[in-house]
């Protein structure tokens, strides 16, 4: 049998955390990640299909160059009360996350291909804000059109 030993890590401010929930959604690294990806969506939709994966890989590299890592909750470990590896979350690193909901989980780095997949998925998503605006505008126009004789 072959197995890989993955070291648990303490999330930092610029890390992108996989998962759901308010704590993850409002994490600084996740907000910055979403902003970066959304700013690149127009370019992504204009390039050829063969170039899209490389485009996403470049975004992953950019996030990593800014000190971000892609982390997921370790499925082999439960949650705990003291944060990752006991008391190492005492804030000795200025960029260490302080949110107890994040620290109560055991985090591990994600393989590069999985990070690229996450960026690709986000790039393909509808731009929610624009979609809602278009939808509201379309409804307004329909109402106005129906009011005119």
């Amino acid at each position: 049998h072959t197995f890989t030993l993955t070291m648990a890590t303490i999330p930092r401010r610029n890390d992108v955390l996989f998962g759901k929930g308010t704590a993850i959604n409002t994490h600084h690294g996740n907000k910055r990640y979403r902003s970066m990806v959304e700013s690149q969506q127009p370019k992504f939709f204009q390039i050829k299909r063969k170039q899209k994966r490389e485009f996403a890989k470049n975004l992953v590299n950019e996030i990593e160059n800014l000190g971000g890592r892609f982390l997921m909750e370790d499925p082999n470990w439960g949650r705990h009360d003291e944060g990752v590896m006991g008391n190492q979350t005492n804030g000795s690193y200025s960029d260490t996350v302080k949110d107890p909901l994040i620290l109560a989980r055991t985090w591990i780095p994600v393989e590069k291909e999985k990070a690229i997949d996450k960026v690709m998925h986000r790039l393909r998503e509808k731009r929610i804000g624009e979609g809602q605006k278009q939808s509201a505008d379309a409804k307004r126009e329909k109402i106005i059109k129906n009011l005119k004789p």
Side-chain angles (χ1 to χ4, degrees):
H1 289 290
T2 308
F3 67 94
T4 305
L5 179 62
T6 304
M7 185 67 111
T9 187
I10 300 169
R12 297 185 301 227
R13 187 173 197 264
N14 292 327
D15 292 338
V16 177
L17 307 177
F18 283 37
K20 297 178 181 177
T22 303
I24 290 173
N25 200 31
T26 59
H27 175 64
H28 174 78
N30 286 49
K31 290 194 296 189
R32 186 177 71 168
Y33 154 76
R34 284 192 306 274
S35 175
M36 288 173 69
V37 170
E38 288 166 12
S39 73
Q40 296 299 316
Q41 273 185 321
K43 291 179 189 172
F44 180 78
F45 288 121
Q46 292 176 353
I47 62 175
K48 294 178 181 172
R49 187 173 188 191
K50 291 180 181 180
Q51 300 169 313
K52 291 184 186 263
R53 190 153 190 87
E54 187 66 26
F55 188 86
K57 182 179 178 183
N58 290 338
L59 273 173
V60 169
N61 290 336
E62 186 176 342
I63 289 166
E64 290 174 342
N65 290 338
L66 293 170
R69 302 170 296 174
F70 288 80
L71 305 176
M72 66 180 275
E73 189 173 352
D74 188 338
N76 299 316
W77 293 92
R79 297 186 182 191
H80 40 82
D81 295 330
E82 292 185 39
V84 175
M85 295 181 286
N87 201 15
Q88 291 186 12
T89 58
N90 62 9
S92 58
Y93 300 103
S94 61
D95 67 342
T96 300
V97 172
K98 311 281 190 294
D99 188 323
L101 294 173
I102 291 174
L103 294 176
R105 303 174 187 184
T106 303
W107 297 93
I108 57 173
V110 168
E111 294 175 9
K112 184 88 157 195
E113 289 303 311
K114 196 164 187 176
I116 294 169
D117 289 343
K118 180 177 180 72
V119 171
M120 287 283 293
H121 180 76
R122 185 75 187 188
L123 283 164
R124 288 189 303 262
E125 285 182 350
K126 274 188 182 175
R127 288 161 274 186
I128 305 279
E130 288 181 24
Q132 288 173 341
K133 184 178 181 217
Q134 290 171 353
S135 177
D137 289 346
K139 287 178 185 176
R140 190 177 306 108
E141 287 178 28
K142 186 176 180 181
I143 291 170
I144 291 171
K145 186 177 180 180
N146 289 336
L147 292 174
K148 292 181 179 179

